[in-house]
């Protein structure tokens, strides 16, 4: 029988992607006590990176929000691996850190990262509300539009 969060994902029409393998010398997540630290994830879709370029030059804020949402799906996919497939073990999303590949004059980083924050609340309800940072970066690996890391509390 599917758990509460799996049922919610189904209700939302969301299929989580396969958790991506690390692309360098790090692990995708670390479980320390009752916390899960998810390494930075990018906007990886079924055919590879879906959003590349700088916000304020190559991409509009709405595209950035979509990139952040897709990236957050990859965060949740890693989280599912970390909890052995049982997302009902998640007590809350504690913190998201969002990096936005943007031009120096772009100032809508919070709006872009709302794409990820909104998804956490859609999936986990009040337990998805979190502390957050949304910052600009002059560049990100392989020119991805956003990168997001997260901390979750689990049972």
């Amino acid at each position: 029988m599917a758990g509460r969060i799996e049922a919610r994902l189904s209700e939302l029409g969301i299929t989580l992607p396969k958790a991506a393998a690390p692309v360098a010398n790090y692990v995708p997540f670390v479980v320390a006590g009752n916390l899960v630290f998810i390494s930075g994830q990018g906007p990886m879709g079924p055919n590879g990176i879906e959003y590349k370029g700088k916000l304020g030059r190559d991409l509009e804020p709405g595209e950035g929000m979509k990139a952040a949402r897709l990236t957050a799906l990859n965060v949740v996919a890693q989280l599912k691996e970390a909890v052995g497939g049982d997302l009902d073990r998640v007590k809350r999303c504690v913190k998201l850190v969002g990096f936005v590949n943007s031009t120096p004059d772009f100032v809508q980083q919070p709006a872009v990262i709302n794409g990820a924050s909104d998804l956490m609340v859609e999936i986990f309800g009040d337990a998805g509300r979190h502390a957050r940072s949304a910052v600009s970066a002059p560049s990100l690996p392989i020119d991805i539009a956003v990168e997001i890391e997260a901390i979750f509390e689990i049972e």
Side-chain angles (χ1 to χ4, degrees):
M1 180 172 154
R4 176 179 49 85
I5 298 301
E6 290 293 335
R8 180 68 181 149
L9 289 169
S10 179
E11 179 182 309
L12 293 169
I14 294 173
T15 301
L16 292 178
K18 183 178 185 315
V23 296
N25 188 16
Y26 65 91
V27 294
F29 58 82
V30 170
V31 178
N34 66 338
L35 296 177
V36 178
F37 296 81
I38 307 290
S39 294
Q41 302 294 305
M44 181 70 74
N47 299 313
I49 299 298
E50 290 194 16
Y51 295 91
K52 283 189 169 190
K54 288 193 181 302
L55 275 290
R57 184 187 71 202
D58 308 312
L59 300 167
E60 297 295 324
E63 293 171 296
M65 287 181 73
K66 290 177 185 175
R69 182 180 177 88
L70 176 58
T71 301
L73 286 172
N74 286 289
V75 166
V76 176
Q78 293 293 353
L79 177 61
K80 185 173 180 177
E81 289 287 317
V83 296
D86 184 4
L87 287 169
D88 287 350
R89 290 182 56 202
V90 177
K91 287 180 72 174
R92 85 167 297 134
C93 180
V94 176
K95 182 162 188 180
L96 291 183
V97 179
F99 301 93
V100 180
N101 184 1
S102 60
T103 60
D105 60 336
F106 185 82
V107 296
Q108 297 180 57
Q109 292 83 1
V112 167
I113 300 303
N114 276 349
S117 294
D118 293 349
L119 181 73
M120 293 303 162
V121 175
E122 286 176 41
I123 293 172
F124 297 106
D126 281 340
R129 299 193 187 284
H130 50 271
R132 184 181 90 175
S133 298
V135 298
S136 182
S139 68
L140 289 172
I142 60 175
D143 202 30
I144 58 176
V146 297
E147 181 172 335
I148 297 172
E149 61 182 54
I151 304 169
F152 291 87
E153 181 183 14
I154 60 171
E155 298 179 328

